[in-house]
Amino acid sequence: MGSELAQTDVGDTVTGGGEQKETGRFKLSNLFGGSTGPLLGLIALCIVLSFATDSFLSLRNFLNILDQITVLGIIAVGMTFVILIGGIDLSVGSVLALSMMVLGYLNIVAGMPMGIAIIGALAASAVVGIVAGILITEFKVPAFVATLAMMSIARGLANMITDGSQLIGFPPWFNLSAIIRHGGFLTTTVAIMLAVFVVAILFQRYRAGGRSLYAIGGNPEVARLAGINVKRSTVLVYMFCAMLAGLAGVTLAARLDAVQPSIGIAYELDAIAAVVIGGTSLSGGTGGVGGTIIGVLIIGVLRNGLNLLSVSPFLQSVIIGLVIVLAVAAETFKHRKK
Amino acid sequence: MKSIIKAMFAATAIAGIAGTASAQGVGIEKIGLAVPNLQADYFNQIKLGVEGYAKKLGIEVITVDAKGDTNTQVSQVQDLLTQGIDAFIYIPAGAAAATVPTRLARAEGIPVINVDREPEGEPGDTVIYGENILSSYEVCSHLIGLAEGKGKMVIIHGQKGTTPEVQRYEGCKRAIDENPGIELVDQQWTQMWSPDEGFSIGQNMLQAHPDIKIIFGQADAIAMGAAKAVEGAGLSDQIFVGGYDGDVAALESLAKCDTPFIVTATQSTQAMGVLAVNSAIAVVNDAVVPARQIPNAVLTTCENAQKFVEKHP
């Protein structure tokens, strides 16, 4: 373990230098912005699992893992931006449920075409995010409390739509979009996740809006003095986080071919865990989407691998907890050495 | 519990004698078992039934626990299929029983045995579930009999929209309708069939209607939570609490008979596990299996609880 930590540090320094000097040489670690430690952890995990079980190392299992991380992956991208600006969003699991119920209601009960139902679901999610953002910026409610309140409200609304019952009866192609692998590779839902990843990374690296999130997370007052509209950016970040949770809800509805208001409980904690494992600091200002993708993959690979190894369900949750502790401890250790 | 362990030892001994010949004999080597939530004793008993019996036959069982989350369960089933299972015992998790696990297994030509309930529109080769309507009618009739056919009654439901929730209400309602002296004054729904929900809902109901005579909790966990609330309110003498399922803890409590919780319907959970394994073997060997298999639940009171404590059906 010690040697891995040492490598983490070296890798990080190299990344930092590379970003400043723009040497032009392609580095994988550049793409994932300073998340070399988690990346090495992921590779180590894959190697161990490949030896531990025959069923792990195959294209089919890899595609299964991509399927399995779709929902978490999309949510975690939004959560990364929120945490980057020093906030937190506890409402994503409930927003996902609300989005699914709105989607189900519009499509199945009201008989609207799927396109309109999806827009409705995303709009409902966006409203929750905007309200949370306004509570935080205008009414100075701490993010933890504001999103905790929205978590409760969104869950209640999701239940009210059908009085707590489930809805089934989506058109057949909807479920197939989560099952059929185009070109033997990509389901539509996985493609949506990958598109979200690419857009988020490009935004974070190349747009002024993306760079300003780091400034806000580092010090909101300085960011404001530097001419960044902090309030507007904050509201937009919570809005996009909620919309991504809503989008994740749409992909989940496709995967399950049904919607129910009790879905997505504690998903916010999985998303936060993925962000933290990926090396984004909960105090804001450092980290990024690249690391989060690694974090999501670590959680996905770990769960998949433990299932393949037939590890008892009770032991599985102990192991996942240990990995979170390990990831955060490694991060703290790194900072102390600097 | 002791008897279960004993039975398992006996099973191991038999398997030891029979050797691997029996495993090849039944045509199945590996069974995947997807369970919604092992915290619930009901599912845990089914799991013990499947594992104990499969071990006797020399079949390997891989169990996955979805912790109540439908999405997790779909992922786990994908992983089970990667491991090359020969048969799939599927107990759906969450209110929306996902059709996807059944479709995935079917695509690989693997038999699907549903236990507890089956996803709408995508039935498995057979479904095994406890009888609900008649048994809950019996439980509620017994409660109403103890209250001499009159007084206020409340129901604490399970997770709204699930089959047992709907059917247990239907059976109990039938008993209520037969007794005009019984007034159903309040109904609430739990999310997880859990004792803490039963406790807090029970407490609130007692606050609103201190003169309740009967509480029917749709699962033992709920009923035992509600019984605790009754004890806390000091109303143990005037209120009768009934449950459902015949959980181990509930049966032990009934055998002692020292709480307001005095009746339940004991489901043959371990027998359901055995039945699931046998059905899987039958389907693999192209034998005919009925589409629905419904073992009865047994009305259990303080008098006959002890024998179920000794050996769970």
Side-chain angles (χ1 to χ4, degrees):
Chain A
M1 205 56 232
S3 66
E4 197 181 307
L5 285 180
Q7 276 174 338
T8 306
D9 267 17
V10 174
D12 233 31
T13 324
V14 171
T15 315
E19 263 180 55
Q20 277 156 19
K21 283 186 223 151
E22 288 294 337
T23 52
R25 206 152 48 88
F26 176 79
K27 286 199 192 76
L28 190 63
S29 52
N30 264 356
L31 181 65
F32 292 111
S35 47
T36 331
L39 185 60
L40 288 175
L42 176 63
I43 293 169
L45 190 63
C46 289
I47 292 173
V48 169
L49 286 171
S50 303
F51 282 107
T53 162
D54 292 340
S55 14
F56 179 76
L57 193 65
S58 70
L59 178 63
R60 176 187 166 179
N61 192 48
F62 174 71
L63 296 178
N64 277 350
I65 294 175
L66 285 184
D67 265 354
Q68 295 168 3
I69 62 169
T70 304
V71 172
L72 177 60
I74 296 174
I75 295 180
V77 167
M79 187 66 85
T80 308
F81 288 137
V82 169
I83 291 180
L84 264 186
I85 63 164
I88 193 88
D89 190 344
L90 300 178
S91 68
V92 288
S94 300
V95 172
L96 169 130
L98 177 63
S99 157
M100 286 173 78
M101 293 317 291
V102 170
L103 180 83
Y105 182 82
L106 291 180
N107 183 251
I108 297 168
V109 181
M112 291 183 187
M114 190 55 91
I116 294 175
I118 291 175
I119 292 170
L122 295 183
S125 313
V127 169
V128 177
I130 291 171
V131 172
I134 290 174
L135 282 174
I136 292 163
T137 52
E138 296 299 330
F139 296 90
K140 309 293 175 215
V141 181
F144 191 95
V145 180
T147 58
L148 190 67
M150 296 318 291
M151 166 171 123
S152 187
I153 292 171
R155 177 71 62 190
L157 292 174
N159 273 295
M160 280 162 65
I161 291 174
T162 59
D163 199 15
S165 311
Q166 58 163 315
L167 285 175
I168 53 170
F170 287 113
W173 64 264
F174 189 55
N175 178 231
L176 292 178
S177 71
I179 292 183
I180 293 182
R181 290 180 169 152
H182 301 288
F185 183 60
L186 279 186
T187 57
T188 310
T189 48
V190 169
I192 289 173
M193 172 184 74
L194 295 179
V196 167
F197 285 171
V198 170
V199 171
I201 287 182
L202 293 178
F203 171 75
Q204 173 190 296
R205 280 181 70 81
Y206 298 112
R207 303 293 303 175
R211 305 309 302 171
S212 72
L213 298 185
Y214 286 87
I216 296 171
N219 188 329
E221 186 55 21
V222 171
R224 191 183 65 82
L225 292 174
I228 296 170
N229 189 338
V230 175
K231 281 186 177 176
R232 184 168 157 270
S233 302
T234 304
V235 174
L236 284 177
V237 164
Y238 281 94
M239 184 186 89
F240 276 112
C241 180
M243 283 178 78
L244 284 173
L247 182 63
V250 174
T251 64
L252 184 55
R255 181 166 152 86
L256 301 180
D257 201 17
V259 294
Q260 73 197 60
S262 59
I263 194 87
I265 289 173
Y267 279 21
E268 52 278 350
L269 302 181
D270 279 348
I272 294 170
V275 172
V276 168
I277 291 175
T280 298
S281 159
L282 271 185
S283 49
T286 58
V289 172
T292 298
I293 295 172
I294 307 273
V296 169
L297 279 168
I298 288 181
I299 291 184
V301 166
L302 197 61
R303 285 197 180 136
N304 169 267
L306 292 174
N307 280 346
L308 293 183
L309 287 171
S310 314
V311 173
S312 109
F314 302 139
L315 186 57
Q316 285 198 15
S317 56
V318 172
I319 294 176
I320 290 174
L322 286 176
V323 168
I324 295 174
V325 170
L326 204 67
V328 179
E331 199 66 18
T332 317
F333 186 73
K334 205 166 80 181
H335 281 294
R336 202 183 299 155
K337 264 174 78 176
K338 276 178 190 168
Chain B
M1 198 60 215
K2 231 183 204 167
S3 65
I4 295 168
I5 294 168
K6 258 191 218 159
M8 278 172 140
F9 270 119
T12 325
I14 293 167
I17 297 161
T20 47
S22 62
Q24 285 149 5
V26 297
I28 290 184
E29 284 172 16
K30 214 188 256 185
I31 290 180
L33 169 63
V35 184
N37 176 16
L38 283 178
Q39 305 299 320
D41 185 62
Y42 174 70
F43 295 128
N44 201 30
Q45 290 292 335
I46 296 176
K47 166 180 171 272
L48 290 176
V50 169
E51 289 180 344
Y53 184 63
K55 201 170 176 186
K56 207 188 292 188
L57 298 176
I59 300 172
E60 184 190 347
V61 178
I62 305 171
T63 307
V64 289
D65 174 8
K67 301 199 179 67
D69 186 61
T70 320
N71 186 31
T72 305
Q73 193 170 46
V74 175
S75 300
Q76 289 175 335
V77 173
Q78 286 183 323
D79 294 342
L80 283 177
L81 294 173
T82 322
Q83 292 172 85
I85 54 172
D86 306 309
F88 174 42
I89 301 177
Y90 174 34
I91 316 178
T99 51
V100 181
T102 310
R103 280 181 207 160
L104 292 173
R106 288 250 185 243
E108 310 236 331
I110 293 170
V112 180
I113 311 298
N114 283 115
V115 181
D116 190 38
R117 54 213 179 88
E118 60 185 345
E120 226 170 294
E122 199 70 41
D125 291 290
T126 181
V127 57
I128 300 163
Y129 57 88
E131 198 285 321
N132 282 306
I133 298 174
L134 185 64
S135 309
S136 53
Y137 169 78
E138 285 176 353
V139 169
C140 287
S141 296
H142 185 82
L143 287 167
I144 290 170
L146 289 173
E148 288 157 0
K150 56 182 192 295
K152 290 186 177 172
M153 176 168 179
V154 293
I155 298 180
I156 307 177
H157 292 247
Q159 188 178 16
K160 185 162 187 163
T162 56
T163 314
E165 185 269 322
V166 174
Q167 295 189 339
R168 285 173 198 179
Y169 174 67
E170 189 186 332
C172 187
K173 188 74 173 41
R174 202 180 289 171
I176 295 170
D177 291 343
E178 282 176 7
N179 291 277
I182 295 292
E183 188 191 350
L184 184 60
V185 290
D186 199 1
Q187 305 182 59
Q188 299 272 338
W189 282 261
T190 65
Q191 292 278 348
M192 307 266 297
W193 308 82
S194 70
D196 54 320
E197 289 173 300
F199 181 85
S200 52
I201 292 175
Q203 211 169 31
N204 294 339
M205 285 177 159
L206 289 171
Q207 185 66 31
H209 313 277
D211 51 348
I212 302 173
K213 280 282 214 25
I214 302 170
I215 300 177
F216 175 47
Q218 285 193 340
D220 285 339
I222 298 173
M224 288 173 76
K228 275 271 169 290
V230 171
E231 286 182 69
L235 297 168
S236 302
D237 296 335
Q238 73 168 59
I239 297 178
F240 304 105
V241 182
Y244 204 101
D245 286 342
D247 290 354
V248 172
L251 292 173
E252 280 169 1
S253 164
L254 276 181
K256 279 197 213 117
C257 207
D258 56 356
T259 71
F261 170 62
I262 41 82
V263 62
T264 189
T266 303
Q267 300 214 68
S268 317
T269 38
Q270 297 227 359
M272 283 160 76
V274 171
L275 193 55
V277 176
N278 277 335
S279 304
I281 294 169
V283 173
V284 167
N285 291 312
D286 293 327
V288 180
V289 178
R292 291 172 186 282
Q293 307 184 69
I294 311 169
N296 275 328
V298 187
L299 188 73
T300 312
T301 59
C302 293
E303 283 75 45
N304 62 352
Q306 185 58 37
K307 73 173 187 217
F308 293 138
V309 172
E310 279 155 22
K311 179 161 175 35
H312 201 286

